[in-house]
């Protein structure tokens, strides 16, 4: 059975990985033409909003009690899934 601490560590690692991917995306945007750069930054803005939602869910998870963390975990999983899907979709537009 997974513990709250183990799940929290895993979720924090997922967030760090997505932050790194977004940083990489910004670097690519900065090297792109003006038109492509605008599209990158549009996608980055949308991703930043979803990242903030995922971070809020993670913060709520951290504040949850030992008894309630599994219920809060569902929201965290959903927020991270939406963020990853949005990131993958954004990156596919620039390949």
């Amino acid at each position: 059975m997974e513990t709250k601490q183990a799940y929290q560590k895993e979720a924090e690692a997922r967030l760090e990985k997505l932050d790194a991917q977004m940083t990489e995306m910004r670097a690519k945007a900065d090297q792109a033409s003006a038109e492509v750069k605008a599209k990158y930054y549009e996608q980055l803005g949308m991703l930043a909003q979803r990242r903030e939602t995922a971070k809020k869910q993670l913060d709520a998870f951290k504040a949850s009690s030992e008894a309630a963390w599994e219920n809060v975990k569902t929201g965290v999983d959903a927020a991270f899934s939406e963020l990853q899907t949005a990131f993958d979709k954004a990156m596919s537009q620039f390949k």
Side-chain angles (χ1 to χ4, degrees), residues 65-85:
S65 69
E66 283 295 322
W69 75 270
E70 292 229 15
N71 294 331
V72 180
K73 177 183 166 191
T74 304
V76 174
D77 286 340
F80 275 97
S81 177
E82 288 176 17
L83 177 57
Q84 186 64 58
T85 299

Side-chain angles (χ1 to χ4, degrees), residues 33-79:
S33 67
E35 182 181 328
V36 174
K37 184 183 287 191
K39 290 179 183 179
Y40 264 114
Y41 276 97
E42 180 182 328
Q43 293 298 317
L44 282 164
M46 183 268 308
L47 289 170
Q49 290 175 343
R50 291 191 187 230
R51 186 228 180 263
E52 188 60 30
T53 299
K55 176 74 168 102
K56 285 179 183 177
Q57 287 289 331
L58 182 55
D59 290 344
F61 174 82
K62 289 177 184 180
S64 67
S65 69
E66 283 295 322
W69 75 270
E70 292 229 15
N71 294 331
V72 180
K73 177 183 166 191
T74 304
V76 174
D77 286 340

